[in-house]
Amino acid sequence: MSHAGEKLDDRMQPLTESQCGSIAKSTDQDLAHYENLSLEEISKGKVGILLLAGGQGTRLGTSYPKGMYNVGLPSQKTLFQLQSERILSLQKLAEKKTGRSGKITWYIMTSASTVKPTSQFFENNNYFGLEAENVVVFQQGTLPCFTFEGKMILGEKYKLSIAPDGNGGLYRALRNEGILKDMKKKGIKFIQLYCVDNILVKVGDPLFMGYCLSKGAECANKVVPKGFPTEAVGITCKVDGHYQVVEYSEITQKSAEKRNRDGSLVYGAANICIHFFTFDFIERVVMFNERSLQHHVAKKKIPYVDSAGVLVKPDKPNGIKMEKFVFDVFQFAKNFVVWECLRDEEFAPLKNAEGASDFTPTHCRNSLLALHQKWLRIAGAKLINEAGEEAKQMGSPAGEDNNNAPDNNNDEKQYVVMCEISPLVSYAGENLQTYKGKSLELPLLLE
């Protein structure tokens, strides 16, 4: 804590070029190689996926787990269903490539408030076609909440106010909930982690994992290029020789605006909470490093019981919650890499209710529709609108040029092409060659 409050500029170094892979800079041959390396491991049953799903949709105006949210796609699928079907699709791709039918185990971390509804939802929907034993729901821990004076807060009469211990509570939960043991028993060697709210997430992405395998990395971060210097995102770099995600508020404008010779930002590797770990690395972290992870302080509005025994809901922050961050384990990595993906293809998180400037259900829905239209156009299909003409490509709200300046192509944002492709048809744009040269009428849902 000795550095609290100071800017980190003097202690920061950018990552070296040799540890930064990128989808845009890789050849088709490289990408095929990375994919094959991953499909091989998937077919041997050596891959696990960790999902962080502890959040409720409070900002969306709902009280159920975020993964159960339906953003209004033509198929009406929830985030959980889309992600389940992407895993099914990936398993099929691996089987097709290798002739072996390996299964991916999906570990879903919930919180005290989401564990029951999440388990129930998967049960009621027959795990969306996955095998029940390969969907493992577990719960993160909690910590008490404090006033700014350091006193514990009563959440109800005779009961302390508690809150989840942050996404970095994962590492303690892996041990306490028996997940590490389960991974070891199943022979899982490689793990990818992501957050439930990202509608575009390539669950278990074989390109990202294959790059990590080709580099012999034990820990990695998937990133997107920062949209503009002052964008409010954490960036991946080194601090005092250790890998770290540094929050935008921790660096000066001067460092934020530093550029490489090619014009790209020096500190431009924006964190999107998609990570890769080897099992050996995670086991080491859980057994030896977890206790040394620092707690971060979050100022929050925390309901409390006053001296008269009445529950008060404050309208401004009145206390603190303590949490650990999932990426704080990067500092323990010896061989660390980053993989840069394209924002409009892989990152559109659901965070806000309709009416906010971005990350709303409409933002997420349109990001997916734009991507699916792009896939079909690349495959050589023509999408025909009601006027009998070929529909032009809709812009993606997740695109890098789509900042929220008032004058930013707002007319274009109204233009929507209703075209959805089930993950069971295509995981990431493959298997669409049968539509080459065909005219398809909108609205379109390929199931």
Side-chain angles (χ1 to χ4, degrees):
M1 295 295 280
S2 58
H3 300 292
E6 72 170 66
K7 298 290 184 190
L8 294 174
D9 298 47
D10 298 339
R11 299 164 47 218
M12 281 167 52
Q13 303 92 36
L15 302 168
T16 60
E17 214 171 301
S18 65
Q19 56 189 155
C20 300
S22 146
I23 199 159
K25 291 176 186 165
S26 301
T27 64
D28 288 350
Q29 207 176 349
D30 290 335
L31 297 176
H33 174 59
Y34 300 151
E35 188 171 282
N36 290 342
L37 289 175
S38 294
L39 297 180
E40 185 65 30
E41 299 301 339
I42 289 167
S43 74
K44 292 179 190 161
K46 292 193 184 303
V47 175
I49 290 170
L50 274 170
L51 165 57
L52 305 178
Q56 290 167 291
T58 322
R59 274 196 273 172
L60 295 164
T62 64
S63 58
Y64 51 80
K66 232 187 216 184
M68 288 164 57
Y69 200 90
N70 160 8
V71 301
L73 288 166
S75 65
Q76 297 297 309
K77 285 175 184 174
T78 59
L79 295 174
F80 277 146
Q81 182 169 356
L82 292 169
Q83 292 164 22
S84 302
E85 291 181 353
R86 284 172 196 158
I87 292 174
L88 281 168
S89 194
L90 188 54
Q91 289 177 165
K92 282 202 188 101
L93 284 174
E95 185 175 2
K96 193 175 158 191
K97 184 80 204 162
T98 64
R100 276 190 308 269
S101 162
K103 295 289 181 267
I104 290 168
T105 306
W106 196 15
Y107 297 97
I108 302 175
M109 185 171 84
T110 58
S111 58
S113 55
T114 63
V115 62
K116 279 198 178 118
T118 300
S119 302
Q120 203 61 62
F121 186 69
F122 275 96
E123 233 169 272
N124 294 348
N125 288 285
N126 294 321
Y127 300 89
F128 300 106
L130 292 164
E131 287 157 34
E133 68 265 26
N134 294 327
V135 180
V136 181
V137 178
F138 67 106
Q139 191 182 328
Q140 72 185 108
T142 54
L143 288 169
C145 303
F146 300 90
T147 64
F148 294 137
E149 290 74 46
K151 291 179 179 169
M152 289 186 180
I153 294 175
L154 275 186
E156 45 189 286
K157 275 189 180 177
Y158 319 117
K159 212 169 171 191
L160 289 177
S161 174
I162 55 171
D165 52 5
N167 55 24
L170 166 74
Y171 305 106
R172 198 172 66 157
L174 289 176
R175 185 178 59 222
N176 294 351
E177 298 271 304
I179 300 302
L180 207 61
K181 259 191 187 140
D182 188 71
M183 288 176 171
K184 199 163 204 170
K185 194 176 90 194
K186 288 184 167 145
I188 289 170
K189 290 269 180 271
F190 308 106
I191 296 135
Q192 278 193 58
L193 170 148
Y194 72 99
C195 276
V196 74
D197 60 5
N198 180 5
I199 196 167
L200 296 182
V201 66
K202 286 171 70 179
V203 185
D205 177 12
L207 298 180
F208 173 41
M209 184 162 71
Y211 175 72
C212 298
L213 295 173
S214 75
K215 287 289 202 177
E218 58 180 359
C219 174
N221 197 16
K222 184 190 273 194
V223 299
V224 293
K226 207 174 179 185
F228 48 97
T230 53
E231 188 183 6
V233 288
I235 51 118
T236 318
C237 62
K238 267 182 157 183
V239 176
D240 296 335
H242 296 286
Y243 302 107
Q244 196 175 318
V245 171
V246 171
E247 287 307 319
Y248 60 95
S249 55
E250 294 177 303
I251 58 174
T252 61
Q253 179 112 358
K254 192 179 163 197
S255 282
E257 288 177 348
K258 245 191 203 165
R259 293 189 183 268
N260 296 308
R261 279 193 192 141
D262 65 358
S264 61
L265 293 168
V266 169
Y267 295 112
N271 179 49
I272 55 174
C273 200
I274 300 175
H275 312 322
F276 164 88
F277 307 111
T278 61
F279 175 79
D280 292 344
F281 175 76
I282 276 207
E283 184 178 44
R284 200 171 78 225
V285 163
V286 168
M287 294 309 185
F288 303 109
N289 305 121
E290 191 276 328
R291 283 191 179 88
S292 65
L293 287 177
Q294 190 185 332
H295 279 101
H296 301 265
V297 170
K299 294 178 180 177
K300 301 278 187 181
K301 293 182 267 196
I302 303 166
Y304 64 95
V305 171
D306 67 11
S307 52
V310 178
L311 183 68
V312 179
K313 292 190 173 178
D315 50 14
K316 60 175 194 279
N318 63 316
I320 59 174
K321 293 180 178 180
M322 306 293 285
E323 43 190 37
K324 291 183 174 183
F325 294 161
V326 71
F327 50 69
D328 280 348
V329 300
F330 292 176
Q331 62 182 306
F332 306 121
K334 295 177 182 76
N335 191 346
F336 178 86
V337 296
V338 301
W339 175 252
E340 187 183 88
C341 65
L342 304 174
R343 199 183 279 228
D344 67 318
E345 294 188 358
E346 299 199 43
F347 187 56
L350 175 65
K351 295 198 181 293
N352 302 317
E354 294 296 4
S357 64
D358 57 9
F359 306 142
T360 60
T362 295
H363 173 108
C364 291
R365 180 176 67 245
N366 288 348
S367 298
L368 193 69
L369 294 173
L371 178 62
H372 289 180
Q373 183 195 7
K374 181 167 135 180
W375 287 354
L376 278 166
R377 289 182 62 160
I378 289 169
K382 280 187 176 174
L383 300 179
I384 306 301
N385 62 23
E386 284 167 359
E389 296 159 352
E390 185 177 358
K392 66 180 187 340
Q393 176 64 44
M394 74 181 273
S396 171
E400 260 142 60
D401 55 349
N402 229 329
N403 62 49
N404 292 300
D407 60 346
N408 185 14
N409 60 16
N410 284 324
D411 295 339
E412 276 187 28
K413 285 182 187 176
Q414 307 305 316
Y415 173 69
V416 174
V417 175
M418 276 295 175
C419 162
E420 183 187 354
I421 302 168
S422 163
L424 300 175
V425 172
S426 181
Y427 171 81
E430 77 298 325
N431 293 339
L432 299 174
Q433 59 277 22
T434 47
Y435 298 102
K436 186 175 183 175
K438 289 192 178 164
S439 293
L440 306 169
E441 275 186 34
L442 294 167
L444 178 71
L445 172 58
L446 297 182
E447 284 278 30

